[in-house]
Amino acid sequence: MGKRKADLSEDQYEFVRQSNNDRKRRQRQAMNNEQKDLQRQRNREAKRLSRQRLREATGQGTQPGPSSDCTRAAVEAAMQRIFDAQPLPDLRHQATSAPSDSPAPREPSPPPRDPSPPPREPSFPLPRGPSPPPPRDPSLRDSSPLTSSSVDDVHAPRDPPKDPLDLVTGVHGVQVSSNALTVTWTSGQRTVLPYLEGRDKRRKRINLLQPEAEYVKDMTALPECRVSSDFVQFLDGNLPKSALLKAAREALSLNKAVVIRGFLDVTGFELSMDGLMDEFNTLPTRPVGIHDMRERSKKFSNPHVDTTVESLIKDINNPKVMRVALDFPLPQLSAPNPLEKLDDGLCLGWAQTQNIFSVDDQLLTGDVWTVRSWGLVHHAGILTYEHHDAEGALTWAANMAGEKDWMLVSFKESPTREEMAERVKQLTNPSNRLHEFTNRVEALMLHLRPSDAVIMPPGQIHGVFTPVASVCRGGHFFNLDAMHLTELSRFVDASSAKYVTNQAHRGTLDTLCRIVLILPFLPRTRSRRSLICLCGMVCYHGKYTAQGEEEQQSPCLVLAKQIAMGTLDHFGLYTLEDYDNFFSDPSQYLFDRGEELDDTIYSFLAGFRVLCKKV
């Protein structure tokens, strides 16, 4: 006798429920297979009956002479009449009424013996429609015009469309262990929880990723991101490029994440070694650094393992291995058009300052280029805990294959800078549970399907769960209109960067200096707060060095610092103390970009052009 629910623990009850669901699913699959077998049998009967009628109509077995009228055209006409259900003329009589000088036709030979049972009259109407097209190869003239595809295409059973909310089928027991539990999200989506089998000291089977599984359970209870969300902006990818670019720039400067559905063309791409080679020209033997979940369960701060791309792809359907490639630079690619124009660090800084300060004979870090475009390859069931991206960069990401559950977090109220640094430190600590902060933050779930894109402002706290194996393209960049958010994010990094960020970058100061060099030539209006933050990050760059990182240097720092210091003086911020007091003004909203600048500041900046002769 089965036990009652009250006699079972929560895990036991869940295991029993899952076993019953598996049994019912197998029964449904067996019934579907029986129906498919029955349909195939009906198709075979229809083909046999059609061929038999064709043989009777064309007198198959008769060997007409060279002048016989029983030609290919006659066969095709006979076949057409079969489909149109018209009465058939006696073609054998036409064949025997040939001229007298033609050889007499032979007696019809008996039809070949069919080992299959005699066909029965089918219980469904015969297929009707146009005759099949003539054969493409002349060598096929003697073959029967009634091919198997002409019947199968009409009556072959069609597989039911895949439920877009079902992310369990094809994953459970294939990409993730069959011992993993499943869960349903508020959106109705069903996924497998993280699971990696291990043994405790007593050799008892355990889930090494149980903390991740509990964390994902918290994520499943979060509301779905809607168009009406306060800190997310949905944009139509069919907008004119100029309008899309303007709307995205405006939303990001207001600390809103941007979502564009169906933006990236992923037609024909598949998650395989061939797919990566065709899309990215990635070699199978390419060395790549990955995060291994088994190693992360032993020591969270050191999950790094070296392997090859080919090995990573081969283990996608190995439930005993769960890995993700985060360090996968793709500098040969750029952001999809027109998103690349949001990158002021590249479009304004590096691209337009070569005649101000040449890069010739300058030592530059490769991170300046590799950070612009990268790929992410995830196995199924991997959780990336909450964090914000390093060095105050904006981030764009577009899903190419598989699916992503993207969690976006925003503060309900505006704390002080010091309070924010402390709250972010607590929120991004993986030992803390998400539900402990529901009174202070608002978290929403964003489901990304292939071709969907998201752009996050600097300092956007986010976590990602990958329910199925996936490939994602993305990149980091800097935007002049969002420098007030970049400054705040880097301030948090300098205060507590152990868990806050996922990877440091060494080329930030170089890029910021390049943006400052182009300021005297900019005609466009920018916000006051963003301009002050940019100049402050250059003048007092040591203040923004993340914990555990070395202070960055730049070949053009001296020249950029002259322009930045002069700009701060123009706003009355003569010292570091004045600069710090600027952020302590209680009347300023922490994420506010400030008032727009008038033309006087650009007239002032134009005076620095004399310094900007080619160095």
Side-chain angles (χ1 to χ4, degrees):
M1 181 180 295
K3 294 184 179 181
R4 296 176 301 175
K5 178 179 178 181
D7 298 331
L8 300 175
S9 66
E10 181 180 353
D11 291 342
Q12 291 174 334
Y13 175 73
E14 182 65 23
F15 178 77
V16 171
R17 187 185 67 81
Q18 187 65 44
S19 300
N20 291 336
N21 291 342
D22 292 342
R23 176 174 52 81
K24 293 178 182 178
R25 185 173 64 253
R26 289 193 296 270
Q27 291 175 350
R28 290 194 298 268
Q29 185 65 34
M31 294 177 62
N32 291 337
N33 292 338
E34 291 178 359
Q35 294 176 357
K36 291 180 181 180
D37 291 340
L38 180 60
Q39 188 65 47
R40 294 191 188 99
Q41 183 178 357
R42 290 177 177 176
N43 293 341
R44 288 194 296 268
E45 291 177 357
K47 287 191 290 184
R48 286 197 298 269
L49 184 60
S50 300
R51 290 171 179 169
Q52 181 182 6
R53 289 191 175 188
L54 182 63
R55 286 195 297 268
E56 293 175 354
T58 59
Q60 186 173 0
T62 304
Q63 302 295 332
S67 60
S68 174
D69 293 333
C70 188
T71 63
R72 171 72 178 179
V75 175
E76 292 181 354
M79 181 203 63
Q80 178 65 40
R81 292 188 183 93
I82 289 177
F83 280 119
D84 294 340
Q86 297 177 357
L88 294 170
D90 190 355
L91 298 182
R92 288 175 294 180
H93 174 73
Q94 298 178 14
T96 55
S97 61
S100 58
D101 56 347
S102 61
R106 301 178 183 178
E107 289 295 329
S109 60
R113 184 176 181 180
D114 191 347
S116 59
R120 296 177 298 176
E121 188 69 22
S123 58
F124 51 88
L126 287 174
R128 297 189 179 188
S131 60
R136 292 170 294 177
D137 189 345
S139 63
L140 300 179
R141 289 183 180 274
D142 294 334
S143 62
S144 173
L146 186 59
T147 62
S148 60
S149 62
S150 62
V151 177
D152 288 346
D153 289 347
V154 177
H155 293 284
R158 298 291 190 264
D159 292 334
K162 177 177 173 57
D163 183 0
L165 298 178
D166 178 17
L167 301 183
V168 175
T169 304
V171 176
H172 200 214
V174 180
Q175 297 181 357
V176 181
S177 172
S178 58
N179 295 321
L181 301 179
T182 61
V183 67
T184 301
W185 300 60
T186 55
S187 62
Q189 173 186 266
R190 299 180 300 278
T191 65
V192 180
L193 289 175
Y195 186 95
L196 192 59
E197 185 174 314
R199 301 285 175 174
D200 61 12
K201 295 181 179 179
R202 292 182 290 182
R203 306 301 299 167
K204 181 181 178 181
R205 185 174 63 189
I206 61 172
N207 180 11
L208 297 177
L209 304 183
Q210 188 60 34
E212 285 88 339
E214 297 297 330
Y215 199 94
V216 172
K217 287 182 181 179
D218 289 347
M219 296 172 67
T220 62
L222 296 176
E224 193 77 4
C225 189
R226 304 294 181 187
V227 176
S228 58
S229 300
D230 292 335
F231 58 95
V232 180
Q233 180 70 54
F234 285 83
L235 297 180
D236 185 359
N238 295 321
L239 285 173
K241 293 181 179 180
S242 58
L244 181 65
L245 188 66
K246 182 178 179 181
R249 183 181 289 272
E250 176 72 11
L252 293 169
S253 69
L254 296 175
N255 199 32
K256 290 185 177 183
V258 174
V259 179
I260 311 175
R261 296 291 190 188
F263 180 68
L264 189 67
D265 183 10
V266 296
T267 305
F269 179 79
E270 62 177 10
L271 177 49
S272 65
M273 195 63 249
D274 290 340
L276 295 180
M277 292 180 67
D278 292 342
E279 188 73 18
F280 307 135
N281 198 24
T282 298
L283 299 177
T285 55
R286 170 179 175 172
V288 62
I290 63 170
H291 286 195
D292 186 279
M293 297 301 104
R294 193 175 296 274
E295 295 299 321
R296 190 171 78 171
S297 67
K298 299 176 184 177
K299 188 176 181 180
F300 186 86
S301 60
N302 188 25
H304 306 283
V305 174
D306 293 329
T307 185
T308 63
V309 176
E310 185 177 32
S311 176
L312 179 67
I313 297 300
K314 283 183 177 179
D315 285 331
I316 284 179
N317 291 331
N318 183 359
K320 297 181 180 180
V321 177
M322 294 180 66
R323 292 177 167 180
V324 51
L326 296 176
D327 188 10
F328 201 86
L330 300 171
Q332 70 273 27
L333 303 177
S334 62
N337 188 30
L339 298 187
E340 75 272 20
K341 298 181 180 66
L342 292 172
D343 188 351
D344 290 336
L346 183 67
C347 296
L348 298 180
W350 289 102
Q352 303 190 48
T353 60
Q354 297 305 305
N355 287 332
I356 299 175
F357 196 96
S358 175
V359 296
D360 295 341
D361 302 325
Q362 301 295 332
L363 182 62
L364 300 176
T365 174
D367 187 73
V368 170
W369 313 113
T370 58
V371 75
R372 293 179 51 249
S373 179
W374 36 255
L376 301 175
V377 182
H378 280 74
H379 288 183
I382 291 181
L383 169 68
T384 301
Y385 283 99
E386 288 170 290
H387 64 282
H388 75 216
D389 292 331
E391 294 293 343
L394 295 88
T395 302
W396 70 271
N399 210 26
M400 298 194 63
E403 312 211 10
K404 295 279 188 183
D405 288 311
W406 213 279
M407 178 177 63
L408 300 173
V409 181
S410 177
F411 289 98
K412 291 183 177 180
E413 57 184 19
S414 176
T416 64
R417 289 161 63 86
E418 291 73 18
E419 289 174 346
M420 170 142 183
E422 183 61 28
R423 292 183 185 182
V424 172
K425 180 180 179 180
Q426 296 174 1
L427 187 62
T428 55
N429 189 331
S431 61
N432 295 331
R433 295 287 296 276
L434 182 62
H435 62 79
E436 301 173 6
F437 304 94
T438 53
N439 60 330
R440 289 182 289 179
V441 301
E442 181 181 1
L444 299 175
M445 292 307 307
L446 176 65
H447 186 69
L448 295 183
R449 294 185 173 88
S451 77
D452 291 343
V454 60
I455 315 172
M456 296 184 295
Q460 173 69 67
I461 300 174
H462 62 285
V464 183
F465 176 62
T466 306
V468 300
S470 70
V471 174
C472 182
R473 268 188 61 197
H476 298 306
F477 62 95
F478 292 96
N479 185 274
L480 190 50
D481 291 318
M483 282 297 165
H484 59 294
L485 301 175
T486 296
E487 188 277 336
L488 181 59
S489 178
R490 298 189 73 205
F491 172 81
V492 173
D493 290 350
S495 302
S496 52
K498 181 177 181 182
Y499 297 114
V500 170
T501 62
N502 58 350
Q503 191 171 5
H505 303 294
R506 299 291 302 162
T508 301
L509 183 60
D510 261 337
T511 300
L512 296 180
C513 287
R514 289 281 172 176
I515 298 177
V516 169
L517 293 183
I518 202 63
L519 287 179
F521 303 89
L522 287 181
R524 295 193 298 252
T525 301
R526 304 292 178 173
S527 70
R528 176 174 180 267
R529 188 183 180 94
S530 290
L531 183 58
I532 290 176
C533 289
L534 170 62
C535 294
M537 286 186 290
V538 171
C539 290
Y540 309 113
H541 59 92
K543 174 183 173 69
Y544 295 98
T545 301
Q547 283 189 0
E549 296 294 327
E550 296 181 1
E551 185 174 329
Q552 298 183 28
Q553 298 294 330
S554 172
C556 58
L557 177 60
V558 175
L559 178 58
K561 201 169 182 179
Q562 293 182 51
I563 300 173
M565 188 63 73
T567 304
L568 292 179
D569 290 347
H570 177 79
F571 291 111
L573 306 178
Y574 303 104
T575 64
L576 176 59
E577 182 179 0
D578 295 335
Y579 178 72
D580 290 337
N581 291 336
F582 169 77
F583 296 105
S584 61
D585 185 356
S587 63
Q588 295 190 44
Y589 179 58
L590 189 62
F591 305 105
D592 188 13
R593 64 184 179 183
E595 60 190 19
E596 296 295 333
L597 294 171
D598 53 28
D599 293 337
T600 58
I601 182 61
Y602 292 98
S603 299
F604 169 77
L605 289 173
F608 289 103
R609 293 181 183 179
V610 67
L611 297 176
C612 297
K613 297 179 180 179
K614 188 170 183 180
V615 179

